């Protein structure tokens, strides 16, 4: 399998959902349309649809080559991806209206949240309309390795928030041991959540 995610997020989604065809994703902080992208494999290999959002080269963590312009960034997305892409600030979106406008299904298979720094990722999570939409799998980047004490606050806030909606973090070191993942890297970089009632 030609997975593209940095630490196996796309592989994890495929394994949990048994290589589901025609699923639906939301990818916030998507970065490059292909390189280290969490959803391109799902789109290209399993015919998923979805929404991707990224600020583009204005964000230093965008994973694009130095000197990339917003225009060339948009062109890359247009040429290499088929699903909807929004180049803009993820914190400036009214997600309830936006999801309705885009016809987002009430049950989303996979939500990827990968913004920088961790407080922005948490803030964006809290903006999403969990009262109207359910998510089977969420990968949430917290980057504990950068500032453990500070970022743990945002991670705990995210865990407490998601627990209300039936989402629980997996213990990657136990659940994915000997499964081909760098579990130590995942543990200090992201939390992976599942909604057992939907899987």
């Amino acid at each position: 399998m030609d997975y593209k995610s940095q630490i196996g997020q796309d592989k994890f989604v495929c394994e949990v959902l048994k290589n589901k065809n025609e699923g639906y994703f939301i990818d916030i902080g998507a970065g490059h349309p292909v390189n280290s992208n969490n959803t391109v494999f799902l789109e290209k290999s399993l015919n998923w649809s979805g929404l991707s959002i990224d600020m583009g080269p204005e964000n230093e963590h965008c994973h694009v080559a130095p000197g990339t312009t917003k225009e060339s960034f948009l062109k890359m997305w247009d040429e290499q991806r088929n699903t909807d892409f929004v180049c803009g600030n993820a914190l400036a979106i009214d997600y309830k209206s936006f999801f309705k406008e885009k016809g987002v299904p009430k049950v989303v298979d996979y939500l990827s949240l990968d913004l920088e720094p961790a407080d922005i990722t948490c803030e964006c999570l809290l903006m999403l309309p969990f009262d109207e939409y359910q998510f089977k799998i969420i990968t949430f980047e917290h980057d504990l390795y950068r500032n453990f004490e500070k970022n743990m606050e945002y991670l705990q806030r995210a865990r407490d928030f998601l627990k209300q909606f039936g989402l629980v973090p997996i213990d990657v070191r136990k659940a994915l041991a000997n499964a081909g993942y760098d579990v130590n890297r995942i543990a200090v970089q992201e939390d992976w959540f599942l909604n057992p009632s939907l899987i």
Side-chain angles (χ1 to χ4, degrees):
M1 296 288 191
D2 189 20
Y3 295 119
K4 298 295 185 183
S5 293
Q6 190 175 38
I7 52 175
Q9 295 94 329
D10 48 5
K11 176 184 175 184
F12 177 70
V13 170
C14 288
E15 290 177 349
V16 171
L17 298 182
K18 304 185 187 312
N19 292 316
K20 177 180 179 176
N21 278 282
E22 299 183 353
Y24 193 92
F25 66 80
I26 294 173
D27 191 354
I28 304 177
H32 190 281
V34 176
N35 300 337
S36 298
N37 187 280
N38 288 346
T39 57
V40 64
F41 179 86
L42 303 172
E43 177 187 318
K44 298 297 186 182
S45 298
L46 296 174
N47 199 32
W48 283 39
S49 56
L51 299 172
S52 297
I53 301 165
D54 197 273
M55 187 176 285
E58 293 178 30
N59 180 352
E60 62 180 311
H61 303 285
C62 185
H63 302 295
V64 292
T68 300
T69 64
K70 183 174 181 179
E71 183 180 63
S72 62
F73 182 66
L74 286 166
K75 186 177 180 183
M76 278 194 298
W77 270 91
D78 185 55
E79 291 176 346
Q80 298 182 58
R81 299 292 296 269
N82 298 319
T83 49
D84 286 333
F85 175 69
V86 174
C87 187
N89 184 349
L91 299 184
I93 295 172
D94 177 344
Y95 285 97
K96 188 170 286 193
S97 298
F98 181 58
F99 286 2
K100 186 175 181 181
E101 173 193 332
K102 293 295 184 178
V104 172
K106 292 296 185 180
V107 177
V108 173
D109 293 296
Y110 174 44
L111 167 64
S112 172
L113 279 164
D114 181 0
L115 302 169
E116 306 286 349
D119 61 318
I120 301 297
T121 308
C122 184
E123 186 176 348
C124 185
L125 173 74
L126 299 177
M127 293 173 63
L128 300 179
F130 280 84
D131 57 331
E132 292 189 19
Y133 296 86
Q134 293 180 289
F135 301 87
K136 293 180 182 179
I137 302 170
I138 297 176
T139 59
F140 175 90
E141 183 164 306
H142 49 65
D143 288 342
L144 290 181
Y145 69 94
R146 292 184 176 173
N147 187 329
F148 184 86
E149 289 186 11
K150 181 179 178 183
N151 289 354
M152 180 54 83
E153 293 179 25
Y154 302 118
L155 174 55
Q156 193 57 56
R157 191 180 305 170
R159 286 175 174 173
D160 291 343
F161 176 74
L162 291 174
K163 184 178 180 181
Q164 303 172 66
F165 302 99
L167 286 140
V168 293
I170 67 165
D171 183 336
V172 294
R173 287 191 174 99
K174 290 182 179 178
L176 302 178
N178 305 312
Y181 295 87
D182 185 343
V183 293
N184 292 320
R185 186 178 177 193
I186 295 168
V188 298
Q189 191 168 332
E190 294 200 345
D191 255 28
W192 292 359
F193 296 85
L194 299 177
N195 188 330
S197 69
L198 299 176
I199 297 171

